[in-house]
Each structure stands twice: as structure tokens, then as C-alpha cells.
């Protein structure tokens, strides 16, 4: 059994939805289909999820929201008319009106319930269309199927363990299951959405629950590329990548799937296959636990800005037992995540993300480090980008670090930090933010154009 998730551009209009259905019907193993809300039809278009957010915001502001709601209905009307399933429209209108006009006592919960309706209505339309062309399909409601979520300490949606057992039942469904992505329910019946792009997570959860042979993630590109195509033109396509490599690249800003989406399939060793709805014949990119082949020495290169360094110096630091533990304790107590921690004999540098190290946190942490640890100096530099070179094949080859460092030095780029873990799957360079994209280009030219 395969779980196939289709993203917003694959549901953007009737023409795209027909492609989705052709793909689904092309393989009888595609029994569970997860759909996003209709995305942009053109570059300047608005996603249905954003139209729904506008509905909710108008209501929350105490304004009339009729026009905003009609804009959403109009998107589905255009789709339903072209698919010849106009009789679904009263159901769509009622669904949208009921949710938008419902009583609420919590703004966030209300917003969640409205913005989830994009995927909900997509699922209704796709199920109806497939059935209308002679392939019985069923709209699956996440509450009825038992997809239960709760909010974690940070307010993010987290799946409740029992959901996996509930969703496993979908295995025995005779019809094609069309499941809306992006949301589930709390145990007390409230809609909870994942963060934006979260339909990827729903697909991954369902693939995990039914122990799918593969989780197919259908999008609008042929492959994942070795570097961001906005930085390097026509980069090398990746045909296969491991979960670990993907995580390392995602860390440095490589955006392919929603960050949390891989976990449910990763723990069960289910491969992910990223494919293009607009070009289903293209091979796509497989994310696997273990590679079957290597196309290149390096799998991918990514760079991300927005880091800072906090360098703490204390004479005879290495003699002081417990120094690092006490330092880390301060960061833990202040709730600031530490990304890396290269150290010297009398100094240690903490790398953190600027967005978590607010001016208020900075003042508290610097004072605590100075007072509690009696250090000589605390120096903060707020100009760091992290560039990662990732590839499992690097483990067996000699000289990549030398080539990378020499290419960067020939390009006049100063290396502030260099880090390579013992797993040898990745190496990290810290450079000035202004050199982030340039470093990626230089490294790509050196390591891929050999
Ligand atoms: N429709 C939602 C969004 O635009 C979720 C998704 O597409 O995955 O973020």
C-alpha cells in the first residue's frame, strides 16, 4: 500500500486535480491520498489557506466576512464546475459557513478551525470526482478516523500515540481514501492545525500508521536539487538521499518537506518518494534509510543566515570541573537552544540562532555568565551564516575538507568556524552572513563541477 500526498499546486484547479486523479488511478496500490488546500494557480494568486485566514481575521476583528468567504467558495465553484461535480457545492458552502460562523471563545482555536477547511473541502471534491468517474472514493474525516492531536509546551501540534492505532484501520478500507492534510482534532473535539505546510506531516503519519511500502510526496518539481536553484542555476538533481543527510541539509535551510514530516516515516524506515505531479515520468528523489547508490561524492550544500556566536573566555577554564555544565544550565534555564559549541582550552563559543537570542535574553544571559561563572570575557558577534556540505560518501574519501577550504580561501572568504563531526556525513563552515550564498556557489563549483 502506498500513501500519496499532493501539495497545493497539485490541487490548484480542475486541470491539476485531474492530473492527481490520473496518478492515483495509475497504481492500484495508491489507496490513501492526502490532499492540501488549493494553492496558487499563478505566481500572483492567493492560496485558499490564506483566503481562509482572511475570513477568520475579518470575523475576529468584528467585521463582515461575507466577501472573504465568497472568495473561497468561488475557488471551489470554479473547480467543481470544471470537474462536473457541481452538486458538491452546497456541501462545501455549508461546511465553510458553519465553521466560519461558529461560536468561539478562543481566537487561536477559531483561526485553526477555519484555516483547516481548505484541505477539508479539497478532500470532499476529490472523493466526489473520483466516484463520479467510476472509482469509488471516500472523504475521510480526521475525527472519525481518530487523528488526535494536542498542543505541546510551545503551542505546536503534536500527535497522540493512540492515533496510529486508529488510523491503521484505513488499511482495510475498500474504497480509495481521500484524507485532508494539515489538521486533526483534540480529544475534546476542537480542530488543531499543524504549522504551515503541515499536510506533509499528515501524509507521513498515515504512511506510518498503515506501514506503507512508500510515502509518495507529489509536488511541482522533478527532483530535490543539490543546492537551492535560486542560488545556482540548473543544479545537480538528487536521485537518492538518506534521512540523515536530509536532516543535516534541512538544518542549514534546505527546504523540501516540512521539517517535522520525516519523523513518523523515519522511525519506521518507510522510504519517501518526492515526485512531480506535472511530470510523473520523472524519476523524482527518494529519501531512504540506507542508500543503494551514490551519484556524487557530496549530496548537497546548503547555507543559512541568522546565527550569532557568544565566546566565553576564562583563564584555566579546562581545569574547572563542571564549567561547561554550569554554562549550559544557564542557557537551559533561559530557554535558549544551543546549536553548536566549538571549544578551545580557555574559551568556548556557543552558536545560537539570533531569533531566540532576543536583546532581553542577551542581557540576562551575559549577566548570569559573568556573575555566576566569574569569566574573564563574554564576546558576542551577530554576523554568522552556517554553510553545510553533506554527503555520506565523504566518509570514504580523502581531501574534501582541504578542497572546500582552499576554494573558499581562494574566493577571499574568511572561515570563522569549521566543524566536522566524527560521523563524517557533514562538514560545517561558519562565514559572514554577506558571504552565505557566495560560499554555497563557490563550494558547488568546486565539489560538483569536477
Ligand atoms: N494549506 C496549508 C498551507 O498552505 C498546508 C499545506 O499545504 O500543507 O500551509
Amino acid at each position: 500500500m502506498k500513501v500519496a500526498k499532493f501539495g497545493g499546486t497539485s490541487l490548484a484547479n480542475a486541470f491539476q486535480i485531474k492530473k492527481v486523479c490520473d496518478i492515483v488511478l495509475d497504481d492500484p496500490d495508491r489507496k490513501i491520498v492526502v490532499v492540501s488546500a488549493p494553492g496558487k494557480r499563478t505566481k500572483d494568486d492567493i492560496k485558499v489557506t490564506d483566503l481562509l485566514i482572511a475570513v477568520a481575521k475579518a470575523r475576529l476583528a468584528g467585521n463582515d466576512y461575507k466577501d472573504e468567504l465568497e472568495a473561497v467558495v468561488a475557488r471551489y465553484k470554479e473547480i467543481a464546475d470544471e470537474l462536473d461535480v457541481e452538486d458538491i457545492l452546497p456541501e462545501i458552502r455549508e461546511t465553510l459557513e458553519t465553521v466560519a460562523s461558529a461560536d468561539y471563545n478562543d481566537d487561536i482555536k477559531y483561526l485553526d478551525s477555519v484555516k483547516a477547511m481548505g484541505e477539508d473541502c479539497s478532500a470532499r471534491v476529490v472523493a466526489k470526482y473520483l466516484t463520479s468517474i467510476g472509482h469509488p472514493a471516500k472523504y475521510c474525516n480526521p475525527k472519525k478516523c481518530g487523528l488526535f492531536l494536542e498542543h505541546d509546551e510551545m503551542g505546536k501540534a503534536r500527535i497522540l500515540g493512540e492515533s496510529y492505532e486508529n488510523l491503521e484501520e484505513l488499511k482495510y478500507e475498500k474504497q480509495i481514501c481521500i484524507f485532508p492534510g494539515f489538521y486533526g482534532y483534540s480529544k475534546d473535539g476542537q480542530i488543531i492545525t499543524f504549522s504551515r505546510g503541515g499536510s506533509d506531516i499528515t501524509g507521513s503519519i498515515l504512511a506510518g500508521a498503515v506501514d506503507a511500502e512508500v510515502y509518495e510526496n507529489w509536488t511541482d518539481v522533478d527532483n530535490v536539487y543539490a543546492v537551492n536553484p535560486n542560488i545556482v542555476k540548473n543544479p545537480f538533481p538528487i536521485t537518492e538521499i538518506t534521512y540523515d543527510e536530509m536532516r543535516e541539509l534541512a538544518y542549514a535551510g534546505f527546504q523540501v518537506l516540512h521539517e517535522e514530516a520525516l519523523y513518523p516515516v523515519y522511525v519506521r524506515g518507510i522510504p519517501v518518494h518526492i515526485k512531480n505531479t506535472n511530470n510523473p515520468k520523472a524519476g523524482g528523489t527518494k529519501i531512504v534509510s540506507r542508500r543503494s547508490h551514490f551519484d556524487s561524492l557530496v549530496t548537497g550544500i546548503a547555507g543559512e543566515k541568522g546565527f550569532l556566536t557568544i565566546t566565553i573566555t576564562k583563564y584555566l577554564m579546562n581545569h574547572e570541573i563542571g564549567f561547561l555544565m554550569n554554562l549550559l544550565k544557564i542557557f537551559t534555564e533561559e530557554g535558549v537552544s544551543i546549536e553548536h559549541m566549538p571549544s578551545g582550552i580557555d574559551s568556548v563559543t556557543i552558536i545560537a540562532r539570533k531569533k531566540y537570542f532576543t536583546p532581553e535574553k542577551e542581557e540576562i544571559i551575559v549577566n548570569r555568565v559573568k556573575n555566576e561563572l566569574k569569566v574573564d570575557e563574554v564576546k558576542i558577534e551577530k554576523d554568522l551564516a552556517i554553510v553545510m556540505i553533506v554527503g555520506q560518501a565523504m566518509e570514504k574519501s580523502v581531501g574534501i575538507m582541504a578542497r572546500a577550504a582552499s576554494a573558499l580561501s581562494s574566493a577571499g572568504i574568511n572561515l570563522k568556524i569549521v566543524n566536522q563531526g566524527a560521523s563524517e556525513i557533514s562538514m560545517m563552515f561558519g562565514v559572514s552572513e554577506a558571504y552565505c550564498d557566495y560560499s554555497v556557489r563557490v563550494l558547488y563549483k568546486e565539489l560538483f563541477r569536477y
Side-chain angles (χ1 to χ4, degrees):
M1 174 178 279
K2 296 179 178 171
V3 171
K5 179 258 166 180
F6 292 86
T9 51
S10 306
L11 276 301
N13 57 29
F15 184 61
Q16 290 298 92
I17 293 178
K18 284 185 182 166
K19 287 187 198 168
V20 166
C21 293
D22 285 346
I23 291 167
V24 171
L25 297 175
D26 194 43
D27 184 342
D29 288 343
R30 292 190 181 116
K31 283 291 307 292
I32 299 180
V33 178
V34 176
V35 290
S36 280
K40 294 184 181 191
R41 292 161 293 187
T42 56
K43 216 171 118 255
D44 304 318
D45 199 10
I46 305 176
K47 293 178 175 187
V48 165
T49 307
D50 290 308
L51 295 175
L52 286 161
I53 292 173
V55 173
K57 290 206 165 145
R59 168 105 195 269
L60 288 171
N63 299 331
D64 181 38
Y65 55 87
K66 194 171 158 286
D67 289 351
E68 285 81 357
L69 194 89
E70 286 309 319
V72 181
V73 175
R75 285 291 302 266
Y76 288 103
K77 181 170 179 341
E78 185 188 297
I79 291 173
D81 284 350
E82 279 179 48
L83 293 177
D84 256 339
V85 290
E86 301 83 355
D87 48 338
I88 189 88
L89 278 171
E91 183 182 323
I92 301 275
R93 181 178 281 283
E94 199 199 321
T95 306
L96 293 168
E97 281 178 354
T98 309
V99 174
S101 63
D103 291 337
Y104 65 90
N105 47 23
D106 179 319
D107 292 10
I108 306 266
K109 286 181 183 160
Y110 172 73
L111 183 64
D112 268 10
S113 66
V114 177
K115 75 181 178 206
M117 288 305 107
E119 338 317 269
D120 192 80
C121 294
S122 277
R124 290 173 195 269
V125 170
V126 172
K128 183 86 182 176
Y129 175 64
L130 278 170
T131 309
S132 78
I133 57 169
H135 300 277
K138 181 180 165 186
Y139 153 77
C140 295
N141 182 274
K143 181 148 76 182
K144 283 207 184 121
C145 297
L147 174 48
F148 293 119
L149 306 175
E150 65 179 2
H151 284 117
D152 67 9
E153 311 71 43
M154 311 289 281
K156 269 172 55 182
R158 173 166 62 197
I159 182 157
L160 293 178
E162 67 197 78
S163 304
Y164 286 103
E165 276 163 44
N166 300 338
L167 295 166
E168 198 187 339
E169 294 300 313
L170 291 173
K171 262 186 184 172
Y172 310 107
E173 186 55 62
K174 293 275 174 299
Q175 305 180 31
I176 305 170
C177 299
I178 314 294
F179 203 102
F182 193 36
Y183 77 97
Y185 284 83
S186 64
K187 286 307 285 250
D188 60 4
Q190 294 272 352
I191 284 184
I192 298 182
T193 58
F194 293 113
S195 51
R196 294 299 301 263
S199 298
D200 284 343
I201 309 179
T202 311
S204 177
I205 289 172
L206 292 186
V210 301
D211 198 17
E213 165 199 336
V214 59
Y215 168 32
E216 292 181 338
N217 193 289
W218 292 83
T219 173
D220 53 8
V221 287
D222 280 353
N223 285 94
V224 174
Y225 296 95
V227 288
N228 181 344
N230 297 327
I231 299 180
V232 173
K233 262 203 199 122
N234 299 323
F236 201 78
I238 298 177
T239 58
E240 193 177 64
I241 183 168
T242 64
Y243 286 112
D244 296 340
E245 289 173 317
M246 196 72 179
R247 270 290 300 142
E248 301 266 348
L249 286 167
Y251 176 81
F254 212 76
Q255 275 174 5
V256 179
L257 289 187
H258 192 291
E259 259 229 298
E260 296 149 60
L262 285 182
Y263 190 72
V265 280
Y266 163 78
V267 284
R268 293 165 180 86
I270 298 169
V272 180
H273 198 173
I274 295 170
K275 297 269 292 170
N276 189 354
T277 302
N278 304 320
N279 186 15
K281 292 217 158 59
T285 298
K286 284 200 174 116
I287 310 174
V288 293
S289 306
R290 225 174 257 269
R291 270 173 173 282
S292 64
H293 68 283
F294 288 101
D295 293 327
S296 53
L297 206 52
V298 170
T299 304
I301 303 170
E304 184 156 71
K305 298 176 190 153
F307 292 85
L308 52 71
T309 54
I310 308 143
T311 302
I312 295 138
T313 315
K314 183 173 186 182
Y315 195 65
L316 295 180
M317 183 188 282
N318 70 329
H319 284 225
E320 199 175 313
I321 292 173
F323 182 87
L324 288 180
M325 189 187 77
N326 292 329
L327 178 64
L328 295 182
K329 204 165 139 247
I330 295 177
F331 279 80
T332 310
E333 284 167 3
E334 297 306 331
V336 173
S337 163
I338 293 175
E339 305 291 328
H340 300 275
M341 205 172 63
S343 63
I345 295 172
D346 283 343
S347 74
V348 54
T349 299
I350 285 182
I351 300 176
R353 289 190 193 254
K354 281 195 242 185
K355 63 179 174 197
Y356 302 129
F357 201 76
T358 56
E360 302 79 60
K361 285 283 171 208
E362 174 173 342
E363 201 186 323
I364 300 172
I365 291 179
V366 170
N367 283 337
R368 284 194 64 184
V369 170
K370 282 185 176 158
N371 297 336
E372 293 171 32
L373 305 180
K374 310 273 178 278
V375 301
D376 299 332
E377 197 189 6
V378 180
K379 202 168 119 208
I380 299 180
E381 272 187 59
K382 294 182 181 166
D383 170 27
L384 186 74
I386 282 187
V387 178
M388 304 274 279
I389 302 174
V390 177
Q392 214 141 46
M394 295 197 302
E395 202 186 335
K396 305 230 162 42
S397 28
V398 178
I400 303 200
M401 172 70 88
R403 277 171 63 193
S406 132
L408 291 170
S409 93
S410 309
I413 300 168
N414 175 39
L415 295 181
K416 297 181 181 219
I417 290 164
V418 177
N419 193 0
Q420 187 199 270
S423 77
E424 292 187 54
I425 174 181
S426 72
M427 52 187 82
M428 180 197 106
F429 295 107
V431 299
S432 242
E433 289 185 313
Y435 289 123
C436 182
D437 291 354
Y438 183 42
S439 304
V440 171
R441 260 182 238 121
V442 166
L443 291 171
Y444 180 77
K445 195 162 166 231
E446 171 63 33
L447 299 169
F448 278 89
R449 304 229 177 268
Y450 31 82

